[in-house]
Amino acid sequence: MPVALITGASRGIGVAIALTLAKQGYRVVVNHRDSAARAEDVVGTITAAGGEAMAIKADVTVPGDVTAMVDEVTRRWGGVDVLVHNALTPYAITSFAELSWEQLGDKLDSELRAAFLTTKAVVPGMMSRNHGRLIYLSALLSRRPRTGMITIGTAKAAMDQFVRYIALELAPHGITANIVAPTTVEGATSTELVSPERLRTIAAAIPMQRLARPSEVANTVAFLASDDSGFTTGHYLPVSGGLGMD
Ligand SMILES: NC(=O)c1ccc[n+]([C@@H]2O[C@H](COP(=O)([O-])OP(=O)(O)OC[C@H]3O[C@@H](n4cnc5c(N)ncnc54)[C@H](OP(=O)(O)O)[C@@H]3O)[C@@H](O)[C@H]2O)c1
């Protein structure tokens, strides 16, 4: 069974990705930072349905945590075939007028650090097998600015370009790297911080007139994880009801 490691799979979109990949026959690693009970619930749901999963606590911005997590997966299940880097590190919502360098610099640092560390940890194993799938959760905000979202939009844009460089360098090794870019997703923890009125305004601007569903993001990730996407690398796939069309 192929092994999928999903960072930040204790809440929000990561849960939907974990459940979808488990249903499709992957052994699933449910990474979390603080929510051990929630992560164990996800593992329980998967195992009750006949799948295989394990929860691992690791802060994806801490090098020792990331290497220990990948070492444990390798020891127990032989390695990571699919990395879905989904964990959402904290960010400030602010105008440029109110923005400090610390707010922007901190988000750039945590976003790129997490993408860098998780990629570095899984790529050697993938190269040895001449096969791998790297999938990164970005946000449509990295291409379409929205008021107040300068820190996350800028940091995700930096991660997007990091992924393209990874895709270029790893393509000869049978490893693909792609970006999934949702618009606002209903039910996710970060979405719950937005007022219902603001969410209605956001939905009204989407051609399909609603927010994205976690399952729709998860199904796009599942396609990129599968063998069916083997000749697709370095791409940015919006899940946006038409808002992010080229
Ligand atoms: N929500 C949206 O509308 C939306 C839209 C576009 C893109 N996205 C992207 O989709 C991804 C998931 O977003 P979400 O809204 O589902 O997030 P969320 O509900 O806030 O969940 C965040 C997850 O990340 C984990 N996490 C946070 N910091 C971590 C760290 N340092 N190390 C390991 N795990 C960490 C959390 O673990 P704990 O529970 O242990 O804290 C949790 O499982 C993010 O990359 C986000 O930018 C979201």
Side-chain angles (χ1 to χ4, degrees):
M1 279 165 94
V3 175
L5 164 57
I6 299 137
T7 67
S10 52
R11 287 188 277 129
I13 298 165
V15 176
I17 296 170
L19 299 181
T20 298
L21 293 186
K23 214 178 282 174
Q24 298 198 351
Y26 295 84
R27 284 170 154 169
V28 169
V29 182
V30 178
N31 161 250
H32 67 98
R33 185 191 47 179
D34 294 322
S35 307
R38 284 172 182 259
E40 289 301 343
D41 281 351
V42 178
V43 170
T45 304
I46 291 170
T47 50
E52 282 192 64
M54 64 169 137
I56 301 186
K57 175 181 168 68
D59 184 330
V60 290
T61 63
V62 175
D65 279 21
V66 175
T67 48
M69 171 167 65
V70 173
D71 286 351
E72 187 177 344
V73 178
T74 304
R75 189 174 49 77
R76 288 176 61 179
W77 286 347
V80 175
D81 302 291
V82 177
L83 168 69
V84 184
H85 177 47
N86 162 82
L88 177 59
T89 58
Y91 61 96
I93 297 178
T94 172
S95 65
F96 171 68
E98 300 291 326
L99 177 68
S100 68
W101 169 250
E102 285 68 32
Q103 289 171 319
L104 182 58
D106 285 355
K107 182 56 183 167
L108 281 165
D109 182 79
S110 67
E111 192 73 37
L112 287 178
R113 187 183 291 265
F116 172 83
L117 291 174
T118 52
T119 306
K120 275 276 186 188
V122 299
V123 160
M126 290 178 175
M127 285 178 80
S128 71
R129 292 185 293 278
N130 221 30
H131 184 274
R133 296 281 184 267
L134 302 166
I135 302 154
Y136 301 81
L137 265 291
S138 181
L140 201 63
L141 296 166
S142 72
R143 283 205 176 157
R144 287 182 63 101
R146 196 166 79 218
T147 304
M149 307 305 263
I150 189 168
T151 61
I152 188 166
T154 305
K156 291 289 191 187
M159 186 186 73
D160 295 350
Q161 194 64 352
F162 169 77
V163 175
R164 295 184 187 102
Y165 274 93
I166 298 299
L168 181 68
E169 192 167 325
L170 298 180
H173 300 280
I175 301 169
T176 63
N178 290 288
I179 302 152
V180 174
T183 186
T184 307
V185 179
E186 66 183 28
T189 325
S190 46
T191 308
E192 283 161 9
L193 302 174
V194 182
S195 72
E197 192 193 343
R198 181 91 178 105
L199 288 179
R200 275 193 293 277
T201 310
I202 292 170
I206 295 171
M208 288 192 176
Q209 300 281 293
R210 64 167 175 82
L211 304 182
R213 295 175 183 134
S215 62
E216 292 166 335
V217 180
N219 289 335
T220 303
V221 168
F223 166 67
L224 293 171
S226 73
D227 285 342
D228 294 339
S229 68
F231 209 55
T232 298
T233 194
H235 289 288
Y236 180 98
L237 270 80
V239 181
S240 69
L243 185 62
M245 70 174 81
D246 288 331

